[in-house]
C-alpha cells in the first residue's frame, strides 16, 4: 500500500491557507501623539449599551480570513454492548460515520454525467474504479466540507485519483485517469494537481478509509449499480 505523505503535496502550492496580510496603519499628522490632552466632546451623544460591544466585534470580524475553509470534525467512536456473560459485559467500539445522505445523493447525481459513465464503461477490468475505490469517493466528499451543489465532474476524478493513490501500489491507475481526461496533452495536468492539493487540504489530510467504512457506504443503497463492480469476480 502506498503511504500518503503531506510533504509530497508541497510542490503544488506554496501558499498556506488561512494566512492574511493586514494593511499598514496610517496615522495622520493631526492624530500623532503629543503633549496636549485629547479633546473631549462636551455634549456626547447617548450610546446604547451594546454599541461598544458591536464595534469591537466588527473590528474583530474584519481581520478574519474570508477564504479559510471550514474545519471538518473528526469522526468520534461510541461503545455499544456486544454481549453479556454473567456480571461481565463485553463492549464493542462503533465508529460514527460523518457521511450524510446528501453525499450519497451528489455521488449518484455525478454517475449520470456522460463523461463519468464513459470512464466507468472504459474501465472494464475495474483496475481504477471498483466498488471500494468508488466508496472512498463518497467518503472524501463527506470530508471535503463542500456544499452538495458545489461538487462537479472534476471532484469525482480528483477523489478517485486520491483513492488510487492510497490503495494501489503502482502508478498505472493514476496515469490511466489522467490519460482518459487529457489524452497525451500535458497542459491541463498541473491544474489538476493543484486542485488535488486543495481538495486533500480541505479534507484535513485524512485520506485513509477503512474497509468497514466502505461497506457501510455501500449498505446505504445496496442496489446502486456501481456496487456490482467487484474486482474479485473478474477472471484473471
Amino acid at each position: 500500500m502506498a503511504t500518503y505523505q503531506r510533504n509530497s503535496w508541497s510542490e503544488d502550492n506554496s501558499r498556506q491557507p488561512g494566512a492574511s496580510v493586514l494593511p499598514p496603519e496610517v496615522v495622520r499628522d493631526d492624530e500623532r501623539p503629543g503633549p496636549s490632552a485629547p479633546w473631549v466632546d462636551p455634549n456626547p451623544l447617548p450610546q446604547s449599551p451594546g454599541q461598544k460591544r458591536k464595534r469591537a466585534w466588527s473590528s474583530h470580524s474584519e481581520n478574519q480570513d474570508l477564504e479559510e475553509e471550514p474545519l471538518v470534525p473528526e469522526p468520534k467512536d461510541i461503545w455499544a454492548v456486544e454481549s453479556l456473560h454473567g456480571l461481565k459485559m463485553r463492549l464493542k467500539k462503533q465508529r460514527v460515520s460523518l457521511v450524510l445522505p446528501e453525499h450519497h445523493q451528489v455521488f449518484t447525481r455525478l454517475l449520470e454525467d456522460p463523461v463519468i459513465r464513459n470512464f466507468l464503461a472504459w474501465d472494464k477490468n475495474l483496475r481504477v474504479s471498483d466498488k471500494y475505490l468508488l466508496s472512498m469517493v463518497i467518503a472524501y466528499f463527506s470530508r471535503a466540507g463542500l456544499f452538495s451543489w458545489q461538487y462537479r465532474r472534476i471532484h469525482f476524478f480528483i477523489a478517485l485519483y486520491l483513492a488510487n493513490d492510497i490503495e494501489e501500489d503502482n502508478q498505472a491507475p493514476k496515469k490511466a485517469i489522467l490519460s482518459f481526461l487529457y489524452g497525451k496533452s500535458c497542459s491541463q495536468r498541473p491544474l489538476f494537481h493543484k486542485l488535488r492539493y486543495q481538495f486533500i487540504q480541505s479534507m484535513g489530510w485524512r485520506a485513509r478509509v477503512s474497509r468497514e467504512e466502505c461497506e457501510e457506504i455501500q449498505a446505504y443503497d445496496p442496489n446502486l449499480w456501481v456496487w456490482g463492480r467487484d474486482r474479485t469476480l473478474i477472471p484473471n
Side-chain angles (χ1 to χ4, degrees):
M1 286 247 173
T3 303
Y4 194 90
Q5 299 293 337
R6 177 173 179 172
N7 292 336
S8 63
W9 304 103
S10 61
E11 300 175 359
D12 297 327
N13 195 340
S14 60
R15 180 182 175 183
Q16 296 298 327
S20 60
V21 180
L22 297 179
E25 182 180 3
V26 179
V27 180
R28 300 185 313 187
D29 291 338
D30 56 354
E31 293 177 341
R32 295 185 181 275
S36 59
W39 179 81
V40 179
D41 188 355
N43 298 312
L45 295 176
Q47 188 179 39
S48 60
Q51 188 171 357
K52 290 185 178 180
R53 186 183 306 122
K54 181 179 180 181
R55 182 178 303 169
W57 170 251
S58 176
S59 175
H60 174 73
S61 301
E62 292 174 356
N63 294 333
Q64 295 288 337
D65 184 1
L66 299 180
E67 296 181 357
E68 184 177 359
E69 296 171 347
L71 297 178
V72 181
E74 292 280 353
K76 298 181 180 179
D77 296 328
I78 61 175
W79 292 88
V81 178
E82 184 179 27
S83 60
L84 292 174
H85 302 282
L87 299 178
K88 295 182 179 180
M89 180 170 49
R90 183 176 180 180
L91 299 178
K92 180 181 179 182
K93 182 185 290 187
Q94 293 183 343
R95 186 188 52 79
V96 177
S97 177
L98 294 178
V99 180
L100 302 177
E102 63 189 51
H103 303 133
H104 292 274
Q105 295 169 5
V106 69
F107 177 78
T108 304
R109 172 175 61 82
L110 289 175
L111 290 179
E112 301 300 323
D113 186 282
V115 176
I116 294 178
R117 279 205 172 244
N118 290 337
F119 174 80
L120 296 177
W122 170 78
D123 186 27
K124 296 180 180 180
N125 296 326
L126 310 182
R127 295 184 306 140
V128 191
S129 58
D130 72 341
K131 62 180 182 179
Y132 287 105
L133 294 172
L134 292 174
S135 300
M136 294 175 68
V137 172
I138 301 180
Y140 290 163
F141 284 174
S142 70
R143 298 176 185 182
L146 299 179
F147 294 109
S148 59
W149 54 267
Q150 292 178 299
Y151 287 103
R152 296 291 185 267
R153 175 195 304 163
I154 188 62
H155 297 106
F156 174 89
F157 286 107
I158 289 175
L160 189 60
Y161 186 99
L162 291 174
N164 279 274
D165 193 23
I166 292 297
E167 296 299 327
E168 302 299 330
D169 295 327
N170 55 71
Q171 301 293 321
K174 295 185 294 183
K175 291 181 179 179
I177 294 176
L178 295 178
S179 297
F180 180 87
L181 290 176
Y182 308 117
K184 297 182 179 180
S185 175
C186 298
S187 60
Q188 296 296 323
R189 299 191 183 196
L191 177 59
F192 180 90
H193 290 299
K194 180 179 180 179
L195 295 174
R196 178 194 66 174
Y197 174 85
Q198 295 175 350
F199 191 80
I200 188 130
Q201 189 179 42
S202 69
M203 296 194 310
W205 307 96
R206 296 183 297 112
R208 186 70 62 183
V209 182
S210 66
R211 187 182 183 91
E212 178 185 4
E213 186 174 358
C214 289
E215 292 175 351
E216 289 177 359
I217 290 174
Q218 297 169 23
Y220 177 83
D221 186 5
N223 296 323
L224 190 64
W225 62 274
V226 292
W227 303 145
R229 300 174 66 86
D230 193 341
R231 192 184 301 179
T232 61
L233 299 180
I234 298 180
N236 295 329

